[in-house]
Amino acid sequence: MARDKADIIVVGAGIFGLWTAYAALARGLNVLVLEAGPQVGHGASGGIVGALAPHMPERWGDKKQFQFEALTVLGDALKAVEHESGLPTGYGRVGRLVPLMDEIGRERALSRIADAKENWGTAARMQILPPDAFPDWLHPQAAPAGIVHDDLTGRLHPHLTCLALAEAIRRGGAVIETGCTVTAVHSGSVQTDHGARQAQAIVLAAGVAGFDLLSPLVGEVPGRAEKGQAALLDMDMKDVPLIYADGLYLIGHAGGGVAIGATSERHFEGVGPDALLDDVIARACAISPHLAQARVVRRWAGLRPRANGRDPMLGAVPGTRGIYAALGAFKIGFGIGQKVGQVLVDEIMEGRIAMPDSFRVAAHLGR
Ligand SMILES: Cc1cc2nc3c(=O)[nH]c(=O)nc-3n(C[C@H](O)[C@H](O)[C@H](O)COP(=O)(O)OP(=O)(O)OC[C@H]3O[C@@H](n4cnc5c(N)ncnc54)[C@H](O)[C@@H]3O)c2cc1C
């Protein structure tokens, strides 16, 4: 069903756009989501990885606090989405394992544990486990000085989470129009390939393409794409914590399937998976030899939206009326998306700004 007017238009049905639409709906707004792809989660959010990993607890600041608060409420928020949609998200706060290679790493970990106590309080815990704590998945020789375990990290299934959110949003009365590409954004309206749509508030949540839509409004392209590749292996880790080693995540999804990834490619030629993914798979099998027996069932690549200032790029677009950015999710979109939606709708409805200054649009301009 097409609708040409709403209180709020959200451009893009990735994780940032969907959580923004969900928050707006909960505040009683009439919501229209415009998605260029044939279905929601058509961009970076339609993937297979889904680590919900905290920043390290040292050198605490408002950015780490924002993400920490987001992670600690996400489980309950996703439970509500699952209830409202009748669909799974694959969420589980299963924790994370990081192997320690030597005494220096162990010393650093002990200092981090003290920082975690101070900054996470009683909400989450970090500790060191013996090298043989998870021998099937992390060979003791791969963790000679022990394993750091935290119980704050979680995982979800990215694509399923998008589908569940979209269903909850539709059931809540919003319209999600797929196959509708926004070509220009103005205060009070957007132009699409199916005609104009009007709303008092417009939220640009179009991922990498959002930087181009924003550029005529701010006079520069304030971000870029960073490619990532990941693979899904046919194996069940049950509820073994995520493993983070050699710059890679190994994530056992609910119901089976192990996601491994990802590459971080600033410069790339094609947008699809390529030979770099073979290296990721080989490294993952070296971390967890068990995986060498598994079949690769999916190879996937996506473009992460990275704002020029690296942090998320959120809130009112300077020099405009009623246009907001929900961009720059980069590597942490699934961990912070729910809180991003909440703070954006607070700003839109009450003018209340509850995010670090480095997240504001202006902080990303002129770099
Ligand atoms: C390999 C890989 C692994 C990752 N792993 C993790 C992880 O473990 N944990 C984590 O938190 N994050 C991870 N990320 C990052 C995460 O995927 C992103 O942060 C997040 O998906 C970005 O969401 P978004 O809503 O900003 O953008 P997108 O998901 O890209 O959504 C933008 C949407 O806008 C639509 N759109 C674009 N142009 C238009 C237009 N003109 N009009 C209308 N609609 C438009 C697109 O079709 C798309 O659906 C990973 C990314 C990659 C690539």
Side-chain angles (χ1 to χ4, degrees), residues 11-17 34-37 41-45 49-51 180-182 205-207 209 213 228-230 262 300 302-305 329-335:
V11 181
I15 197 66
F16 268 15
L34 302 176
E35 165 55 49
H42 188 62
S45 304
V49 184
C180 180
T181 301
V182 171
L213 285 171
Q229 304 188 44
W300 183 83
L303 299 181
R304 305 177 182 97
F330 197 27
K331 294 187 173 179
I332 58 170
F334 282 89

Side-chain angles (χ1 to χ4, degrees), residues 220-222 306-311 358 360-367:
E220 62 182 278
V221 182
R306 182 200 192 279
N308 285 347
R310 203 170 197 278
D311 282 355
S358 63
R360 304 300 291 168
V361 176
H364 297 272
L365 302 180
R367 283 170 174 268

Side-chain angles (χ1 to χ4, degrees), residues 102-125:
D102 51 31
E103 274 312 306
I104 297 173
R106 196 180 166 90
E107 284 303 312
R108 201 179 304 131
L110 288 169
S111 155
R112 267 191 188 142
I113 287 170
D115 289 323
K117 262 194 198 123
E118 188 180 334
N119 296 313
W120 296 355
T122 54
R125 179 167 177 234

Side-chain angles (χ1 to χ4, degrees), residues 183-269:
T183 52
V185 181
H186 314 282
S187 288
S189 70
V190 298
Q191 195 58 45
T192 82
D193 55 355
H194 296 324
R197 306 280 188 272
Q198 291 167 11
Q200 279 177 350
I202 293 158
V203 178
L204 270 175
V208 171
F211 298 129
D212 292 328
L213 285 171
L214 195 55
S215 67
L217 304 172
V218 296
E220 62 182 278
V221 182
R224 60 172 170 81
E226 185 168 306
K227 183 177 172 182
Q229 304 188 44
L232 187 68
L233 275 61
D234 185 15
M235 192 158 262
D236 195 348
M237 279 175 81
K238 309 279 182 204
D239 280 338
V240 171
L242 279 65
I243 298 172
Y244 182 70
D246 190 18
L248 296 179
Y249 269 105
L250 279 57
I251 303 175
H253 278 302
V258 178
I260 56 179
T263 63
S264 290
E265 301 165 56
R266 187 171 180 169
H267 304 286
F268 51 90
E269 286 182 1

Side-chain angles (χ1 to χ4, degrees), residues 9-10 30 39 66 159 182 190-191 240 271 306 317 360 363:
I9 289 175
V10 178
N30 185 321
Q39 58 171 355
F66 185 96
H159 187 56
V182 171
V190 298
Q191 195 58 45
V240 171
V271 294
R306 182 200 192 279
V317 177
R360 304 300 291 168

